[in-house]
């Protein structure tokens, strides 16, 4: 069955006419949550086909090389631990196959949609050309079932990125994969380079992510009432009468909305832990990516400290910690130098008490040597990386200048009703933030909810905070009661989403558009 796109194609065609008008602020959300075609002010926008978009890409350093890939999104039966589960995946594997290129290469990815729903692919964290950003009905028409679309864009910055659909709850299936952009100038003082993808899993174990969304949103009221108790469905965190069940001090309260039976490292649960072999005495670069939908992970390597070198692709001054907290959409690169032996790499689902694990084993250790599963290394409760510990390296810094746009945005919403937004408005009702090429933009997010949210901006890497040495990131966790300011230079024209990277919060409205308008 073909689920029609929430946004209709006619609207997209209007959007793609070069200078377009996008409606936000139109009063009806429609069946769907649609950016429409007339803004309250009726101003023209820099739409996905505006010439400035190709011009911005052409101005970037290019190697002239084109790296080609095929990607097929389709239903698949995959092995997770001892179970065979029905889900949706890229080319039948979880995670999808890593794409690895060099900075300045052009990627050409032919995507075939064999899912029973529309899809798009978003290249998370990349400052790519807007028309390839993969946001349905904002930057492109959705790829219909049975259809294909080829993404072609220059990869401007080195680092750890990833990709996933930007449609419905598809990310909470197996539809995600790493995208690594290598830096030819990186000295590379490590012996192995290993991606560690973290994920919270429930698909195919009794229910699908769409079922979870329906339960959270109260759209399956009949079922709930029939069962006699609201919130008794497995997979939900209703607790008693909507009170949070998952609490975390380090997340400042409610840790998440969804109870996942499994947590995965590179597609594998603890019962089937992967082993990463490191040459004796050598160093490993671990690239953590949180591809989860509703879980922050606290990670630690038993018996060791980790040296953080990058976040969200960009370098930071090295800082040694025992544990890291990684929100959905965030990435951290660390260097570890394991002592001879086999060590547990543990990702604790923060506030949810379950873990995903891997073994880091040096090449001189016996192949049978392994830490017992289910360990809680002391490092998990040791020195935890704080946002304030991170300083961008000198070349990665964004200098200070007075902002041309300076907005305060309140993050709003609740569990009952399950509705999220910015300034009390669910997408697309919150007016877009209008910016012009060349401007300095400061957005201050104030979290008025009882839950933390990882805020993600498309197409730009902002600086966190007002200090020029603040880290460069594209996703930042904002805890309840906190205010976090981000700053960026408007150097990549187009229409860009800014949203919470909790899959369910995004679907229920915590999103808006950062909209370039003509200067
Ligand atoms: Cu990884 Cu708009 O998201
Ligand atoms: Cu959120």
């Amino acid at each position: 069955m073909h689920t029609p796109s929430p946004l209709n194609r006619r609207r997209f065609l209007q959007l793609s006419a070069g200078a377009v008008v996008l409606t936000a602020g139109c009063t009806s959300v429609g069946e769907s949550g649609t950016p429409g075609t007339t803004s309250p002010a009726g101003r023209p926008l820099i739409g996905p086909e505006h010439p400035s978009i190709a011009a911005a890409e052409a101005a970037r350093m290019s190697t002239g090389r084109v790296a080609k890939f095929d990607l097929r999104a389709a239903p698949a039966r995959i092995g997770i631990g001892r179970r065979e589960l029905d889900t949706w995946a890229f080319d039948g594997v979880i995670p999808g196959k890593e794409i690895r290129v060099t900075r300045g290469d052009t990627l050409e990815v032919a995507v075939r949609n064999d899912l029973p729903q529309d899809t798009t692919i978003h290249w998370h964290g990349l400052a790519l050309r807007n028309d390839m950003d993969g946001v349905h009905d904002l930057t492109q028409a959705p790829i219909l079932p049975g259809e294909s679309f080829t993404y072609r864009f220059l990869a401007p910055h080195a680092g750890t990125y990833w990709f996933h659909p930007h449609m419905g709850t598809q990310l909470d299936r197996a539809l995600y994969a790493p995208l690594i952009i290598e830096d030819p100038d990186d000295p590379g003082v490590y012996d192995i380079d290993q991606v560690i993808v973290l994920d919270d899993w429930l698909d195919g174990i009794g229910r699908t992510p769409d079922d979870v969304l329906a339960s959270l949103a109260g759209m399956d009221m009949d079922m709930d009432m029939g069962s006699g108790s609201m919130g008794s469905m497995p997979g939900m965190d209703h607790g008693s009468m909507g009170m949070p069940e998952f609490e975390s001090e380090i997340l400042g309260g409610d840790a998440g909305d969804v109870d996942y039976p499994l947590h995965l490292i590179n597609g594998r649960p603890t019962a089937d832990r992967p082993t990463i072999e490191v040459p004796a005495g050598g160093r490993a670069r671990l690239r953590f990516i949180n591809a989860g939908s509703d879980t922050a992970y606290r990670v630690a390597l038993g018996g060791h400290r980790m040296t953080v070198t990058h976040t969200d692709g960009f370098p930071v001054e090295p800082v040694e910690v025992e544990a890291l907290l990684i929100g959905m959409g965030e990435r951290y690169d660390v260097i570890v130098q394991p002592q001879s032996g086999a060590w547990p790499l543990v990702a604790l689902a923060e506030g949810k008490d379950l873990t995903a694990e891997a073994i880091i084993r040096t090449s001189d250790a016996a192949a049978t040597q392994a830490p017992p599963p289910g360990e809680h290394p002391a490092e998990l409760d040791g020195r935890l990386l704080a946002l304030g510990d991170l300083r961008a390296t000198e070349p990665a810094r964004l200098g200070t200048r007075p902002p041309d746009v300076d907005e305060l945005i309140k993050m709003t919403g609740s569990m009952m009703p399950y509705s999220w937004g910015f300034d009390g408005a669910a997408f697309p009702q919150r007016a877009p933030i209008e910016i012009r090429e060349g401007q300095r933009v400061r957005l201050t997010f104030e979290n008025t909810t009882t839950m933390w949210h990882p805020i993600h901006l498309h197409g730009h890497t902002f600086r966190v905070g007002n200090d020029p040495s603040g880290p460069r990131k594209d996703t930042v966790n904002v805890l309840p009661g906190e205010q976090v300011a981000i700053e960026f230079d408007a150097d990549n024209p187009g229409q860009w989403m800014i949203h919470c990277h909790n899959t369910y919060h995004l679907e229920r409205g915590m999103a808006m558009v950062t909209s370039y308008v003509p200067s």
Side-chain angles (χ1 to χ4, degrees):
M1 350 133 244
H2 164 226
T3 309
S5 150
L7 303 176
N8 69 49
R9 283 170 83 80
R10 182 180 50 81
R11 279 230 177 88
F12 173 70
L13 294 175
Q14 289 172 313
L15 262 177
S16 58
V20 292
V21 256
L22 180 89
T23 14
C26 91
T27 42
S28 85
V29 188
E31 53 205 69
S32 51
T34 312
T37 51
T38 54
S39 87
R43 276 189 287 271
L45 307 178
I46 308 276
E49 285 173 11
H50 194 275
S52 64
I53 286 166
E57 181 179 71
R60 294 188 173 131
M61 191 281 298
S62 166
T63 59
R65 277 192 305 265
V66 179
K68 299 190 180 185
F69 304 89
D70 291 307
L71 194 66
R72 177 173 173 259
R77 169 158 278 240
I78 59 174
I80 292 192
R82 285 178 294 267
R83 316 176 208 227
E84 293 280 312
L85 298 175
D86 289 310
T87 185
W88 299 349
F90 290 131
D91 302 298
V93 292
I94 174 173
K97 238 178 62 210
E98 169 182 310
I99 290 183
R100 200 176 266 261
V101 297
T102 298
R103 184 186 62 208
D105 287 355
T106 293
L107 281 92
E108 195 177 292
V109 189
V111 176
R112 174 162 177 94
N113 179 14
D114 283 324
L115 300 173
Q117 288 181 356
D118 297 353
T119 197
T120 55
I121 304 298
H122 169 59
W123 314 91
H124 181 120
L126 256 63
L128 80 181
R129 51 183 300 156
N130 184 246
D131 54 347
M132 295 293 130
D133 193 46
V135 179
H136 63 88
D137 301 285
L138 183 65
T139 68
Q140 72 171 107
I143 312 170
L144 302 180
E147 289 193 351
S148 296
F149 181 87
T150 298
Y151 290 88
R152 194 174 203 280
F153 55 89
L154 186 117
H157 300 114
T160 303
Y161 301 92
W162 62 301
F163 58 93
H164 59 80
H166 217 283
M167 184 73 81
T169 62
Q170 291 174 15
L171 166 59
D172 207 11
R173 308 217 186 208
L175 295 165
Y176 58 82
L179 168 54
I180 307 302
I181 302 172
E182 292 188 334
D183 182 351
D185 304 324
D186 192 314
V189 282
Y190 46 87
D191 303 281
I192 66 153
D193 179 335
Q194 175 71 48
V195 176
I196 308 274
V197 190
L198 309 168
D199 187 27
D200 45 17
W201 189 269
L202 56 75
D203 193 27
I205 308 179
R207 50 193 358 222
T208 68
D210 287 333
D211 297 334
V212 171
L213 179 65
S215 290
L216 285 168
M219 292 182 287
D220 63 350
M221 221 42 142
D222 290 352
M223 252 163 78
D224 274 339
M225 305 237 280
S227 78
S229 66
M230 268 286 276
S232 63
M233 300 293 290
M236 308 296 313
D237 170 35
H238 282 214
S240 65
M241 295 313 289
M243 293 308 286
E245 207 169 80
F246 300 126
E247 291 275 352
S248 160
E249 215 172 292
I250 61 178
L251 289 171
D254 191 353
D257 303 340
V258 183
D259 190 2
Y260 290 88
L262 289 178
H263 295 274
L264 311 178
I265 284 184
N266 295 347
R268 296 164 71 170
T270 299
D272 180 34
R273 298 180 284 180
T275 297
I276 295 153
E277 187 166 300
V278 182
R283 297 155 166 258
R285 176 179 190 165
L286 304 179
R287 300 174 184 257
F288 293 103
I289 300 171
N290 185 346
S293 280
D294 178 68
T295 308
Y297 289 97
R298 198 192 326 168
V299 300
L301 175 61
H304 294 80
R305 300 190 139 221
M306 305 180 285
T307 304
V308 179
T309 60
H310 298 74
T311 183
D312 296 356
F314 278 57
V316 292
E317 288 178 358
V319 49
E320 263 199 26
V321 297
E322 288 175 299
L324 281 175
L325 185 72
I326 311 177
M328 293 84 77
E330 282 192 294
R331 288 91 62 215
Y332 280 98
D333 294 15
V334 305
I335 299 281
V336 293
Q337 188 166 20
Q339 297 154 250
S340 184
W343 308 95
L345 179 68
V346 177
L348 173 69
E350 182 61 33
K352 298 183 175 180
D353 284 339
L354 295 175
T355 57
E357 294 182 29
I359 300 169
I360 303 238
R361 183 190 284 139
T362 57
S363 57
D364 58 342
T368 50
Q369 202 180 325
E375 256 186 273
H376 184 100
E379 286 76 10
L380 274 176
D381 304 305
R383 188 180 169 331
L384 182 73
L385 180 77
L387 201 52
D389 295 333
L390 294 172
R391 296 163 57 85
T393 60
E394 194 71 50
R397 288 184 188 175
L398 185 71
T400 30
R401 61 183 259 217
D404 305 294
V405 174
D406 193 354
E407 284 201 38
L408 175 69
I409 296 139
K410 286 198 163 77
M411 303 153 65
T412 50
S414 67
M415 286 298 289
M416 286 208 183
Y418 195 74
S419 173
W420 303 95
F422 292 120
D423 294 316
F427 184 79
Q429 290 174 306
R430 207 279 179 195
I433 294 173
E434 291 192 351
I435 64 178
R436 291 174 175 75
E437 213 175 333
Q439 286 183 326
R440 169 61 62 92
V441 182
R442 178 193 288 157
L443 305 177
T444 304
F445 287 88
E446 181 184 335
N447 186 349
T448 70
T449 77
T450 57
M451 190 173 174
W452 70 288
H453 306 271
I455 296 295
H456 171 50
L457 170 66
H458 287 206
H460 303 76
T461 298
F462 50 75
R463 182 190 74 211
V464 182
N466 297 324
D467 192 294
S469 68
R472 303 293 301 277
K473 286 179 70 58
D474 55 63
T475 310
V476 66
N477 302 328
V478 186
L479 306 190
E482 237 182 22
Q483 263 198 10
V484 174
I486 64 171
E487 278 193 28
F488 61 95
D489 283 330
D491 57 3
N492 197 13
Q495 303 298 307
W496 302 101
M497 290 289 279
I498 185 160
H499 63 86
C500 173
H501 217 285
N502 180 306
T503 298
Y504 299 92
H505 295 186
L506 168 57
E507 270 309 284
R508 295 297 291 173
M510 196 179 264
M512 63 185 175
V513 175
T514 301
S515 171
Y516 281 70
V517 297
S519 299

